[in-house]
Amino acid sequence: MSEVKCIATRDSYGNALKELAAGGADNLVVLDADLAAATKTGIFKKEYPNRHFNCGIAESNMICAAAGMSTMGLVPFASSFAMFAAGRAFEQVRNSIGYPHLNVKIGATHAGISVGEDGASHQCCEDFALMRSIPGMVVICPADDVEAKQAVKAAYAYEGPVYLRFGRLAVPVFHSDDYKFEIGKGEVVREGNDVTIIANGLMVAEAIEAGKTLAENGIDAEIINIATIKPLDEELVIASAKKTGKVVTVEEHNVIGGLGEAVCSCLAENCPTPVKRIGVNDEFGHSGPAKDLLKQFGLSAENIVKVTTEFVK
């Protein structure tokens, strides 16, 4: 059996930008807030230095610069840590990109508890909520290298603002090369009948592992990857909820304002269904090894199994 590759989706981001430019995306430009080595936009910069702009530690200014570039026909990808791209620059994202609905893409890396040793100040678990609240903003959190690359390319092709969230921690690559990502479409990773588990980002791999254990314990879980939080694939969510009768959501984000709430809102209005949300339980993180923190905050396959088993039985 071949060994599973593990790649951080921030690496996928940098590589996808380079691939886009090499493929003829001549209007693509990349902006960074003095973090090119960490966000991996340095991969793009090495090949296309004249199209990479270091805006310094000034994310709000970077967002405004990206907005201006977009009005000149360029497609800017503005890059920084999620805490700063979504948090520090929220006003500029809202007023300078969201309000005029400009064609700017935000590449946010180092999100969630898995930032690890950087601690609570950098562990942004509020970005889904912030970006979902901006009218017209597409919000995407890919699950692995294959999906992340395709999400970047789909964002480039999409006309309008897009927020892309990437991780620092290397995660298993479970998609095959023939996988096709589409904005607003979810994916059934595993068919099941007893309960639906909906996840995104690095939690999809954990959900897949949990599904294996649940199957061994006699629980047939349907696993769904919802990379696009907004617009949500409501048709898939409703269909799976009707099929299984119970839903568990899993995300590396505060349980307030993210994937879980999006799913709950959809089901409450269209197909009332019992839902359990797994995520960060309205608290700040702290410094520590990423994998240890994920377990501590309940973002692990073991906890998904525990919560789902109790929920079903």
Side-chain angles (χ1 to χ4, degrees), residues 279-299:
V280 178
N281 292 310
D282 197 24
E283 59 185 316
F284 290 106
H286 58 80
S287 181
K291 292 184 178 179
D292 292 347
L293 290 175
L294 289 171
K295 288 186 177 181
Q296 180 183 341
F297 283 84
L299 306 176

Side-chain angles (χ1 to χ4, degrees), residues 125-134 139 163 165 200 229-230 232 249 251-265 277-282:
C125 294
E126 305 84 23
D127 54 330
F128 293 167
L130 289 167
M131 293 298 105
R132 281 182 64 227
S133 71
I134 298 176
V139 182
Y163 178 84
R165 185 208 241 205
N200 64 9
I229 307 167
K230 182 185 176 186
L232 185 73
T249 63
E251 60 190 314
E252 190 191 7
H253 184 274
N254 196 323
V255 291
I256 296 173
L259 173 66
E261 283 204 354
V263 169
C264 286
S265 296
R277 291 174 295 159
I278 297 175
V280 178
N281 292 310
D282 197 24

Side-chain angles (χ1 to χ4, degrees), residues 25-305:
D26 296 332
N27 58 353
L28 170 67
V29 292
V30 177
L31 296 81
D32 212 297
D34 207 28
L35 288 168
T39 64
K40 300 302 179 179
T41 64
I43 296 171
F44 175 90
K45 179 182 180 180
K46 183 178 179 180
E47 300 295 328
Y48 304 94
N50 294 331
R51 291 159 63 182
H52 183 280
F53 302 89
N54 182 2
C55 298
I57 306 173
E59 287 82 4
S60 297
N61 183 59
M62 175 183 70
I63 292 297
C64 291
M69 288 180 173
S70 73
T71 66
M72 304 301 292
L74 298 173
V75 181
F77 278 74
S79 317
S80 186
F81 290 2
M83 187 65 253
F84 311 130
R88 178 179 291 165
F90 178 80
E91 180 196 343
Q92 285 70 33
V93 173
R94 179 192 184 274
N95 289 340
S96 297
I97 294 175
Y99 181 40
H101 199 73
L102 295 182
N103 193 30
V104 176
K105 322 302 171 184
I106 301 168
T109 69
H110 292 66
I113 291 296
S114 60
V115 174
E117 288 84 356
D118 285 358
S121 63
H122 286 53
Q123 292 165 340
C124 185
C125 294
E126 305 84 23
D127 54 330
F128 293 167
L130 289 167
M131 293 298 105
R132 281 182 64 227
S133 71
I134 298 176
M137 179 69 74
V138 171
V139 182
I140 303 173
C141 181
D144 71 355
D145 174 67
V146 173
E147 186 169 60
K149 285 181 178 179
Q150 290 201 23
V152 173
K153 294 170 183 177
Y156 170 79
Y158 175 83
E159 185 71 28
V162 180
Y163 178 84
L164 295 145
R165 185 208 241 205
F166 306 105
R168 176 187 190 182
L169 185 66
V171 293
V173 179
F174 62 89
H175 284 111
S176 60
D177 291 336
D178 60 356
Y179 169 70
K180 301 298 181 186
F181 171 81
E182 184 179 346
I183 291 175
K185 293 295 182 182
E187 168 198 18
V188 178
V189 179
R190 181 188 187 280
E191 298 276 358
N193 295 295
D194 295 334
V195 62
T196 298
I197 301 176
I198 299 175
N200 64 9
L202 60 78
M203 300 313 301
V204 178
E206 297 294 326
I208 292 171
E209 284 302 308
K212 295 175 183 177
T213 303
L214 288 166
E216 293 171 358
N217 296 337
I219 297 174
D220 188 21
E222 180 149 291
I223 312 294
I224 294 179
N225 169 28
I226 296 282
T228 310
I229 307 167
K230 182 185 176 186
L232 185 73
D233 190 345
E234 294 191 349
E235 183 177 346
L236 177 59
V237 170
I238 293 167
S240 188
K242 286 181 177 179
K243 177 182 177 182
T244 66
K246 289 187 176 182
V247 174
V248 176
T249 63
V250 193
E251 60 190 314
E252 190 191 7
H253 184 274
N254 196 323
V255 291
I256 296 173
L259 173 66
E261 283 204 354
V263 169
C264 286
S265 296
C266 166
L267 293 178
E269 293 182 352
N270 298 284
C271 176
T273 308
V275 178
K276 284 286 186 182
R277 291 174 295 159
I278 297 175
V280 178
N281 292 310
D282 197 24
E283 59 185 316
F284 290 106
H286 58 80
S287 181
K291 292 184 178 179
D292 292 347
L293 290 175
L294 289 171
K295 288 186 177 181
Q296 180 183 341
F297 283 84
L299 306 176
S300 64
E302 292 87 351
N303 192 53
I304 297 171
V305 170

